[in-house]
Amino acid sequence: MTEPHLLTASGALALMKDGTLTVESYVTSLLSRISARDHVVKAWAYLSPEHVLSEARKLDQIPPEKRGPLHGIAIGVKDVILTKDMPTAHNSPIYKGEPAPLVDAAPVIALRAAGALIFGKTTTTEFASTTDGGPSTNPHDPTRTPGGSSSGSGAAVGDFQVPIGLGTQTGGSTIRPGSFNGIYGFKPTWGAISREGLAQYSMTCDTLGLYARSVADLQLLAKVFQLQDDTPIPESLFKIEGSKIAFVRTSVWPKAGPGTQNAWSKAKELLSAKGASVEEIKLPEEFSKIKGWHAAVLAGEGRTSFLGNYLLAKDKMHTMLHGHVENHTKLSRKAQLEAYDGCAKLRPVWDEIAGKYDALFTPSVVDEAPVGIERTGDASFCSMWTILQCPALNVPGFSGENGLPVGLTLVGARYTDERVLYAAKAIGEVFEKEGGFVSKLV
Amino acid sequence: MTEPHLLTASGALALMKDGTLTVESYVTSLLSRISARDHVVKAWAYLSPEHVLSEARKLDQIPPEKRGPLHGIAIGVKDVILTKDMPTAHNSPIYKGEPAPLVDAAPVIALRAAGALIFGKTTTTEFASTTDGGPSTNPHDPTRTPGGSSSGSGAAVGDFQVPIGLGTQTGGSTIRPGSFNGIYGFKPTWGAISREGLAQYSMTCDTLGLYARSVADLQLLAKVFQLQDDTPIPESLFKIEGSKIAFVRTSVWPKAGPGTQNAWSKAKELLSAKGASVEEIKLPEEFSKIKGWHAAVLAGEGRTSFLGNYLLAKDKMHTMLHGHVENHTKLSRKAQLEAYDGCAKLRPVWDEIAGKYDALFTPSVVDEAPVGIERTGDASFCSMWTILQCPALNVPGFSGENGLPVGLTLVGARYTDERVLYAAKAIGEVFEKEGGFVSKLV
């Protein structure tokens, strides 16, 4: 038998269903992987093996007919998401050492109700807001960042320590670690999953993100979260052959490094070779304003989001957050409102463009994960899709100049989450097989 | 000396500043008011006199130079807002009897940092989402509802049990109890105060609401929360005389009962008599669609917001919430997106209209508080302003046919919260003095 920690969630579920794997032995395998790797990857902000084993034993006691769809599946939770049995420290000195808050964030309630095992808290940048990295490293090369702010969830899933991780995205905090760690990272439509119990930075952008090593696993989660398009398509109907696939460079394209450029042309080749009709498209000029609007919205919303902790303990906060509260950029509310209204106007325009294609790709990152863990990287390619509030999914499979993973982002119209997952499943298989990335982890 | 419980927050602060009132004696007065009235008004979901007195004594130990701007001010907190030292039960059997969550909502962090005394948790409808009332009553007539969903905060402030209360508004949950209890109820611009740690129903609409018995008290809070317009006007510059004041009936006007009709004409008379130029204005036809869009957004967003608890314990939830999660109205995501985009388009249109006037009024409620505590009333007049995300402030002063309070709502463009407060201060004085409402509570 494959070592259980190497299984996807779907793989582990199948074995648990037919009785060949208990939750306890599954968890034991994950814990031994963590024990072997944690000194390198450092993905966990909080992890209690005793607690996790005790939860596993409880799950094993549940009779088969009462087990949930995620029975026993281990989930790493970014440490800005409330969990009733584990502390939430936001990587902030203000909350270091505080006890568990005794309350679960809404998505955690849903996952537990579905039988999932909340495994531990994964590292984040301070309040999921800065790009200051550490201590987590990239499992493919520990001299490099795993990305951020969902650093620990990205690294833990990439390193086979857990099959599923929760992140959040305000700029590119789910997509970027997805690309850097060579895994699927999915930011659903804004509002499609509750954000009650998540740290708040930007009401307009903050979205729960989901990590997995297979699209089937993301589909499992999507089912629990009831992500339903208006007109679901039977999965079998999505075929690359004959599909219309668009590649959207956006105005940020000049930032693309060789890894992303290579992924870009390789993806087009592969999809064309499989019979897709591939075209590069340009967005209307107005879309180039979105990057600036995104920054304005974050500055304006950060001004209120960080006020409480600023008043409580300013000296224990990153100076970037001081800047937000004190409005260092001298952003006017008028400019903030123009950013709101400008983005709102372009959302249906994007939806209409996206509706003309079966799948649309855009870059995930500048390039493979950069050397150094002090900085978590650049969100430039992601922020547009975050504030357009549309689904975005990092599909891995490509390789940078140093052999590290590079992905591309599948984007879609708002509330076409199921459609995006279907496309990612078919296309991801091709990219993983033929994209060129070779993992040294398995 | 006036009995301390009768003081506004500003009044109590002044006495505490000059040393004639300690926090402990202030709290003792509030507690004795509550003790005399609680069997009638039933505004509290959780209140521990021992805890409050102990907190008061701690505040009294703080040397004067280290005291915050809200030093010792007692604040009732709606029981859907997390408080680290008190349970949050959401008026839900799921959370009844759960311990305190050990974490504060962001606005509570800010208030505590400013020296406020979090006094207790006030009653709410289930998850601040239904209109099923009870057990709280209207302090002016216990056979009537205090409104909802911020029932307890509205009633407690109206009944002189605390000077300040926190509510929330998704439809009309701050404005309606404001009007029914004869107090100021302020829903600032969406996003102007963090909503981290508040129960989630609608990301687009949910807003923290503030209750007080004077506008000066709301201004104190606004200062703590750093509600700043782009171009603040010196308070002394707002004069009713010579100001341009608009009255906006909206398409909901046919619902207005005699109490609201009386307030409407009386307000116009009073303001005209003081030298304001008063005109009734009509909004463009498109605005009549907002009521339906608001319902669509709540249904669509409620579908995800209540999913977690639904999966956890569906049988302990109101059937209306089942309806949301199960999408009983068969709302399509397309219709939800049309509602988003439609409202987004009208927000700057409203801002522009509002910018032409010094103040704008619209009805707060259908009429005075109806008889019966089983239903908390109708949000029809409020939902438009909630989803337009603009500031809305109930100004009390008028009286219905049964002598109960009726208010009108001052509305403004987004992020003109300071401006709305200035106008409310000058105009509220007139309405309170000459509007016709006579309180039997003092």
Side-chain angles (χ1 to χ4, degrees), chain B residues 32-250:
Chain B
S32 91
R33 172 70 181 173
I34 292 169
S35 159
R37 292 280 296 168
D38 192 47
H39 69 287
V40 177
V41 182
K42 301 180 186 115
W44 299 92
Y46 179 89
L47 178 62
S48 161
E50 302 71 37
H51 176 68
V52 170
L53 281 164
S54 131
E55 292 288 299
R57 284 181 212 113
K58 277 187 227 164
L59 285 162
D60 280 329
Q61 297 307 313
I62 299 174
E65 70 279 9
K66 291 196 171 169
R67 291 177 181 177
L70 297 176
H71 177 75
I73 293 307
I75 299 186
V77 176
K78 184 176 183 177
D79 202 25
V80 293
I81 300 171
L82 295 179
T83 45
K84 66 180 175 182
D85 49 357
M86 299 169 195
T88 302
H90 305 279
N91 192 15
S92 158
I94 304 175
Y95 293 97
K96 203 180 165 176
E98 289 289 309
L102 308 182
V103 68
D104 274 337
V108 174
I109 295 176
L111 293 170
R112 282 198 216 262
L117 198 171
I118 301 304
F119 206 81
K121 303 304 280 285
T122 56
T123 59
T124 172
T125 65
E126 188 176 335
F127 294 111
S129 64
T130 78
T131 54
D132 286 8
S136 304
T137 68
N138 192 304
H140 301 282
D141 175 353
T143 68
R144 294 170 190 261
T145 178
S149 59
S150 311
S151 320
S153 281
V157 173
D159 196 46
F160 298 89
Q161 300 184 10
V162 278
I164 305 287
L166 299 188
T168 62
Q169 176 151 315
T170 301
S173 286
T174 293
I175 294 295
R176 188 157 83 261
S179 182
F180 286 179
N181 295 287
I183 57 176
Y184 293 91
F186 182 35
K187 182 204 84 62
T189 301
W190 179 90
I193 300 179
S194 171
R195 49 144 299 149
E196 186 172 344
L198 277 59
Q200 179 181 318
Y201 180 176
S202 161
M203 291 279 291
T204 305
C205 293
D206 296 347
T207 315
L208 187 79
L210 310 171
Y211 288 116
R213 292 188 304 271
S214 83
V215 177
D217 284 7
L218 292 177
Q219 288 175 316
L220 261 175
L221 296 171
K223 215 161 177 182
V224 168
F225 287 121
Q226 303 192 3
L227 302 185
Q228 289 154 351
D229 297 359
D230 275 342
T231 49
I233 41 169
E235 182 159 356
S236 57
L237 278 191
F238 185 90
K239 295 248 182 294
I240 296 176
E241 192 178 347
S243 66
K244 267 184 79 182
I245 302 184
F247 278 69
V248 196
R249 284 183 190 241
T250 80

